[in-house]
Amino acid sequence: MIRMTPREIKEKYGQMFCKRFLVIVDEKENKAQIIEQCRNRGTIEWDVMNRRRAGGAVESITVEGASMTINAKLGMYKANFGAAGDDIGGQALEGVVVDGNRVTTHWAGIAGAGVGVAVCLPQAPGVIETIFPTEDDLKAGGARTCRTQIVTAKYHRITIGIDDTDTKESGATWVLASKCAEACNIEGAEFLNMRLIQLNPKVPNKTTNCVGTALNFAVLPDKEAELLAFVKEYIESNAVSGDTGIAVYRGLKLPESPYLKKVKTEVLNRDECETEAERLGIEYIDSAKSKGRIGALGAILWANRGVEAAGLYGEKL
């Protein structure tokens, strides 16, 4: 086996195109999520279609511009890998293996897709090292097949729901949440995205639009407490409301909840939302212990469900 750092690979092959590579693990659910960002949309789209066709550890993939998110299962799996065809992918994720605080993703690629797994991905920010099983795997391109094992740090996913930081006179929760995310410079905490969640606009006791905000982070396990302390301090210090709610969920997938619909269609009270949050493993970290907890729960429930989160219940793009 040959082990190479991103710097050594860059010196050998020249600068390539992968801008981000993160592996988030939820060992309780036996799942992983791989986030990959490229400079080129076309590369992402071709890789997605081939990885889906190849199967292996891949369960599903979504694409946003030049970024993809792979939902995968932990372990090693046989893939339908080879030259691209009807039921064969020219690039494959063959496994995701956790070892302590590191994760190794196992890849196969042929021809140009071999360059992707042997040269491009191994240079990405976040990669610790790449293992090449044989000397032949270093010879990327042409009609060759390459296999690699890319080692990264193990991240966890933290979703933070925030609501009621504003009043009818001033403030906007999504603005404060966004500023919080941008101000966070904790090494080992990677900001993923911010989502706006439309709650029930018929709620009488609201500011104006009745919208909660969710922040998604990938974070190293030993940085979780520092991240949450920073978010709590930033949000509560800059909020103009005394009702601010902040909720936290750790993991890749929430259990199903009837409150997914209720937060968009019913008038809820804080007690029932706190009870449901406890059932789901959602923690409140705010000091106010007020009505903002209702919207904070709603933000968590819809944080990773696509563009429909921003619409009324049942509204589709």
Side-chain angles (χ1 to χ4, degrees):
M1 290 188 176
I2 302 98
R3 296 173 181 265
M4 297 181 70
T5 65
R7 181 176 180 178
E8 289 170 336
I9 292 170
K10 189 181 298 184
E11 289 173 351
K12 180 177 177 64
Y13 297 104
Q15 178 69 53
M16 293 295 282
F17 313 107
C18 191
K19 296 170 65 177
R20 191 182 216 183
F21 187 78
L22 290 172
V23 183
I24 303 168
V25 171
D26 187 335
E27 290 165 286
K28 180 178 67 175
E29 296 290 333
N30 201 42
K31 304 293 184 186
Q33 194 169 77
I34 300 169
I35 298 173
E36 181 182 332
Q37 182 180 4
C38 185
R39 293 200 189 105
N40 305 307
R41 178 170 179 163
T43 308
I44 287 289
E45 292 173 343
W46 192 93
D47 289 351
V48 163
M49 301 309 289
N50 278 267
R51 292 178 193 178
R52 284 181 56 192
R53 204 181 306 129
V58 173
E59 292 191 320
S60 64
I61 312 180
T62 58
V63 176
E64 292 184 20
S67 298
M68 77 167 85
T69 300
I70 303 175
N71 295 307
K73 48 196 175 183
L74 299 182
M76 294 295 300
Y77 301 89
K78 180 175 173 54
N80 302 317
F81 167 71
D86 290 345
D87 57 355
I88 299 173
Q91 193 179 83
L93 174 64
E94 297 181 313
V96 182
V97 178
V98 179
D99 182 12
N101 285 325
R102 291 189 173 190
V103 187
T104 301
T105 48
H106 294 248
W107 300 90
I110 191 169
V115 177
V117 302
V119 181
C120 194
L121 290 184
Q123 293 186 21
V127 173
I128 296 171
E129 66 174 358
T130 299
I131 301 168
F132 298 83
T134 72
E135 289 281 352
D136 286 342
D137 293 302
L138 290 165
K139 301 171 184 175
R144 298 183 184 90
T145 292
C146 296
R147 278 184 163 82
T148 57
Q149 300 165 26
I150 300 177
V151 181
T152 59
K154 179 182 74 175
Y155 282 83
H156 288 165
R157 189 184 189 100
I158 286 188
T159 301
I160 304 170
I162 304 167
D163 197 28
D164 271 335
T165 68
D166 55 349
T167 66
K168 289 184 182 293
E169 290 71 40
S170 65
T173 296
W174 75 268
V175 173
L176 179 56
S178 298
K179 287 183 176 181
C180 175
E182 291 190 355
C184 180
N185 59 6
I186 298 169
E187 187 175 351
E190 295 278 342
F191 175 55
L192 300 178
N193 57 54
M194 181 275 287
R195 311 301 285 268
L196 295 180
I197 291 82
Q198 178 66 58
L199 305 168
N200 183 4
K202 296 180 181 179
V203 170
N205 188 17
K206 63 178 183 178
T207 47
T208 304
N209 288 318
C210 202
V211 177
T213 303
L215 298 176
N216 283 300
F217 286 88
V219 60
L220 297 178
D222 62 354
K223 296 292 184 177
E224 288 184 13
E226 184 179 353
L227 171 63
L228 295 180
F230 172 84
V231 171
K232 174 179 166 63
E233 170 65 22
Y234 191 99
I235 294 297
E236 293 188 339
S237 295
N238 292 282
V240 295
S241 164
D243 295 315
T244 296
I246 307 172
V248 176
Y249 182 74
R250 300 168 176 85
L252 289 173
K253 185 179 180 182
L254 271 169
E256 290 301 317
S257 169
Y259 282 76
L260 188 72
K261 179 179 180 180
K262 287 182 177 183
V263 295
K264 285 180 176 280
T265 60
E266 298 182 18
V267 178
L268 306 175
N269 62 59
R270 177 168 60 88
D271 287 344
E272 64 179 308
C273 288
E274 288 176 340
T275 298
E276 179 64 2
E278 184 177 5
R279 184 185 77 83
L280 296 172
I282 295 170
E283 174 190 5
Y284 287 107
I285 62 171
D286 58 81
S287 302
K289 300 179 182 179
S290 188
K291 68 184 181 69
R293 290 189 168 188
I294 301 170
L297 170 65
I300 293 280
L301 293 176
W302 283 93
N304 294 296
R305 291 182 177 268
V307 69
E308 286 80 13
L312 303 174
Y313 187 77
E315 192 172 24
K316 303 290 184 182
L317 183 64

